[in-house]
Amino acid sequence: MEENPVRDGETGSETGVEEALVGNVNKLTVSPPGFSGPPRKGHLVFDACFESGNLGHVDYISDFEFDLFIRPDTCNPRFRVWFNFTVENVRETQRVIFNIVNFSKTKSLYRDGMSPVVKSTSRPKWQRLPPKNVYYYRCPDHRRNYVMSFAFCFDRDDDMYQFAYCYPYTYSRLQHYLSSLERRNLPYMKRELLGLSVQQRRLDLLTITNPGSEKKLVFLTSRVHPGESPASFVCQGVIDFLVSQHPVAQILRDHVIFKIVPMLNPDGVYLGNYRCSLMGFDLNRHWQDPSPWAHPTLHAVKQLIVQMNQDPRVTLEFYIDVHAHSTMLNGFMYGNVFEDEERVQRQAVFPRLLCQNAPDFSFSNTSFNRDVVKAGTGRRFLGGLLDDTSYCYTLEVSFYSYMPSGSSAPVPYTEDTYMRLGTNVARTFLDYYKLNNLTKDNIPTPIQKYRYSIALALCRTTHAVFSHLVLMFLLPVLSQCPQWATLMEREKGPLTERGRRLSNTRQTDTD
């Protein structure tokens, strides 16, 4: 399926650019023009023939500069954004400039400080390149198309270096993760094979809940666009939290059924596509009438949701489709537009609650629309299919960074902070369903009980000013325990009135 590029013996580069772009480079040695003989140290070897890899062609410009061409999505030349490749046979202290010259999108977070990620065999943790080494500009040498150039210095000659658009999350990584969950034999988690992709890869469905009846149902999908790898980290954050022993997770499992499809487009992810499936389809435009042979994963998910919607025993309240955004910061949501104003207000509740729980989520970036071009998306289609008590959202997270409240400096996302957003998404259902009073977190500890008794005793003293100080400073802190809220409200009125009377008495005495 992937074609190996042909190496020209004279130039050390590929011949037949159009042909080479069909597949990824395969251990391609790029040598100076006119060079012959075995490659020398510093003659870079490029490779993208691995899972989720993408690099279609390399042009030698000089010993220090190379033009790199992204391979388009399979069967669809429109999309060229994701790249993921390795470089080896480097020379220590060798400095290079790589130019990614054929992006299909002009708008990019590279204009706002985003940078590619890199790791090496001796440093296997992904990290972002320094933004000062990355440039995004219109290039006259490439028909004024936008080019992203980055400078890099290889520091270990025996290392293999890997560069990517964003932190990769492969199909194999998901399978290893789900298999490890399965081996734990958790009584509240079930893994099912919902279907197979065109290339016979698994379409997994997770169901997470405790035994019980009459529960709300939340359906979550991810990676319909294969190059949007942050969506998988968010999704894993949701799953990790829901299967944990955290008190909030236990309460959620008691009251809610979570059904999760972690990777809706496994073929596209495996192939290193940015937006499309193996056959070149943007699956998130085919929800209205998916084909069982051309879009089998989408067809299987839609069938399941339609069946659940027709089952009177199932209350499907949420559908959330997780994506990553290439031009905006923060996490945010897209929702639907309704004629009923009350439904519009109800739909805004969950994003508002998420904004309170997640420092990287922006309600101001959240928008509700009915764009014609989005009619085939999961959010739009299911928003019209499900009844008016259900809410369908697209959850977006930036490929680059978020802007914390009160800060003017963006904070780049990491794998961990993407997962933390997933955790906060899961926790927000506790607030939405008003289950806070059921969590063990809210049961006062012995030390909290002791502090409260001391505060109450101090409030009952005859010193009015001191009593007011206790009410102002101690009780608001202790009020974080909801079990004490009723008692405190009952005490607060009489104590405040008593303090006022005592204060008036003392004022009369001094007059």
Side-chain angles (χ1 to χ4, degrees):
M1 184 171 53
E2 292 178 345
E3 297 184 15
N4 293 335
V6 179
R7 183 175 180 274
D8 188 310
E10 289 296 313
T11 64
S13 61
E14 296 168 349
T15 60
V17 175
E18 293 302 321
E19 203 173 281
L21 284 175
V22 173
N24 288 327
V25 296
N26 183 8
K27 296 296 183 181
L28 171 71
T29 302
V30 181
S31 306
F35 178 83
S36 61
R40 295 177 180 172
K41 200 68 172 173
H43 291 177
L44 303 184
V45 178
F46 293 85
D47 186 44
C49 277
F50 52 84
E51 185 176 358
S52 294
N54 187 311
L55 183 64
H57 177 64
V58 180
D59 276 347
Y60 175 95
I61 305 301
S62 73
D63 286 347
F64 310 102
E65 186 173 5
F66 303 83
D67 282 354
L68 311 182
F69 293 79
I70 297 169
R71 171 188 53 77
D73 283 8
T74 53
C75 303
N76 194 326
R78 289 178 53 207
F79 300 106
R80 303 178 306 277
V81 176
W82 174 261
F83 59 85
N84 182 14
F85 61 91
T86 63
V87 181
E88 56 185 322
N89 196 42
V90 304
R91 190 175 62 252
E92 190 174 346
T93 72
Q94 183 177 1
R95 298 176 184 273
V96 295
I97 295 175
F98 290 148
N99 307 311
I100 309 287
V101 301
N102 66 331
F103 280 112
S104 57
K105 300 183 76 168
T106 56
K107 293 182 179 179
S108 174
L109 285 167
Y110 288 125
R111 299 178 301 182
D112 303 309
M114 178 171 143
S115 58
V117 295
V118 62
K119 70 174 184 176
S120 70
T121 46
S122 64
R123 287 151 295 185
K125 184 176 177 60
W126 288 102
Q127 54 186 300
R128 293 187 184 271
L129 293 174
K132 65 180 181 179
N133 294 349
V134 181
Y135 311 90
Y136 190 71
Y137 57 98
R138 282 189 183 275
C139 182
D141 294 337
H142 293 280
R143 295 179 295 181
R144 292 191 56 76
N145 289 333
Y146 276 92
V147 170
M148 188 272 290
S149 298
F150 62 95
F152 190 79
C153 180
F154 299 108
D155 57 354
R156 298 187 183 181
D157 57 11
D158 56 345
D159 263 13
M160 175 189 289
Y161 295 79
Q162 185 172 350
F163 302 89
Y165 180 79
C166 193
Y167 312 106
Y169 194 112
T170 64
Y171 169 78
S172 293
R173 174 172 177 168
L174 174 67
Q175 292 305 306
H176 288 309
Y177 170 66
L178 296 182
S179 296
S180 68
L181 283 180
E182 221 173 9
R183 287 193 295 271
R184 292 166 62 184
N185 294 316
L186 301 172
Y188 44 78
M189 192 211 78
K190 180 182 179 183
R191 179 188 183 189
E192 299 174 72
L193 178 64
L194 186 57
L196 295 172
S197 68
V198 173
Q199 291 188 313
Q200 302 300 293
R201 294 189 178 90
R202 290 181 60 97
L203 176 69
D204 285 290
L205 171 69
L206 298 184
T207 303
I208 302 173
T209 192
N210 287 334
S213 59
E214 297 186 7
K215 296 183 182 182
K216 312 297 185 183
L217 192 144
V218 173
F219 204 105
L220 186 143
T221 58
S222 177
R223 289 302 281 282
V224 68
H225 291 152
E228 297 175 2
S229 56
S232 282
F233 293 103
V234 173
C235 188
Q236 182 174 327
V238 172
I239 297 169
D240 281 344
F241 182 76
L242 291 177
V243 301
S244 73
Q245 295 304 310
H246 194 284
V248 171
Q250 295 181 47
I251 295 298
L252 286 174
R253 293 195 298 266
D254 283 340
H255 293 82
V256 185
I257 300 170
F258 292 91
K259 288 192 175 288
I260 302 173
V261 177
M263 193 169 283
L264 197 45
N265 189 350
D267 287 349
V269 171
Y270 186 90
L271 294 168
N273 287 352
Y274 174 66
R275 197 171 182 89
C276 297
S277 65
L278 163 73
M279 300 175 68
F281 294 109
D282 180 347
L283 296 182
N284 206 34
R285 296 296 183 270
H286 290 273
W287 274 88
Q288 292 169 317
D289 190 24
S291 162
W293 66 270
H295 326 111
T297 56
L298 187 63
H299 183 267
V301 171
K302 179 184 173 181
Q303 272 196 321
L304 175 62
I305 293 176
V306 169
Q307 289 170 5
M308 290 191 302
N309 187 52
Q310 294 171 345
D311 188 341
R313 298 168 299 174
V314 176
T315 307
L316 178 54
E317 290 210 343
F318 281 89
Y319 171 75
I320 299 177
D321 190 23
V322 189
H323 289 251
H325 208 282
S326 63
T327 62
M328 294 183 67
L329 303 183
N330 305 310
F332 59 96
M333 279 180 154
Y334 290 123
N336 296 315
V337 173
F338 304 106
E339 301 298 333
D340 181 2
E341 182 60 29
E342 182 188 354
R343 190 178 182 189
V344 171
Q345 296 301 322
R346 282 188 280 123
Q347 184 185 214
V349 171
F350 188 86
R352 287 185 185 277
L353 291 173
L354 181 54
C355 188
Q356 295 174 11
N357 291 332
D360 56 326
F361 185 86
S362 169
F363 185 78
S364 61
N365 285 358
T366 296
S367 65
F368 306 92
N369 61 67
R370 55 169 60 150
D371 297 347
V372 175
V373 295
K374 302 292 181 69
T377 65
R379 167 180 64 88
R380 284 289 307 280
F381 172 77
L382 294 175
L385 174 73
L386 305 179
D387 62 36
D388 60 3
T389 62
S390 303
Y391 303 101
C392 300
Y393 304 94
T394 299
L395 172 62
E396 298 273 4
V397 62
S398 174
F399 272 109
Y400 171 38
S401 68
Y402 62 95
M403 196 76 73
S405 177
S407 172
S408 59
V411 178
Y413 275 107
T414 64
E415 296 180 27
D416 289 339
T417 50
Y418 282 132
M419 290 188 189
R420 194 175 307 144
L421 175 58
T423 298
N424 290 328
V425 168
R427 293 183 67 114
T428 299
F429 286 104
L430 185 85
D431 299 325
Y432 184 85
Y433 289 118
K434 298 182 173 62
L435 302 172
N436 303 65
N437 59 329
L438 300 176
T439 62
K440 295 177 183 177
D441 284 354
N442 289 328
I443 299 175
T445 62
I447 189 65
Q448 287 173 323
K449 292 179 182 179
Y450 175 74
R451 288 173 179 170
Y452 181 79
S453 64
I454 294 295
L456 200 59
L458 290 171
C459 284
R460 286 171 171 159
T461 62
T462 57
H463 198 301
V465 175
F466 189 67
S467 179
H468 279 302
L469 288 174
V470 173
L471 284 168
M472 288 172 59
F473 297 109
L474 289 183
L475 294 186
V477 175
L478 292 167
S479 68
Q480 293 175 7
C481 294
Q483 273 73 10
W484 295 117
T486 303
L487 178 60
M488 286 168 54
E489 286 301 316
R490 188 174 70 234
E491 293 285 353
K492 188 174 180 180
L495 287 171
T496 306
E497 175 61 23
R498 185 181 184 195
R500 185 184 61 78
R501 284 190 281 104
L502 286 169
S503 179
N504 289 339
T505 302
R506 292 181 184 277
Q507 185 177 8
T508 303
D509 291 343
T510 56
D511 287 343

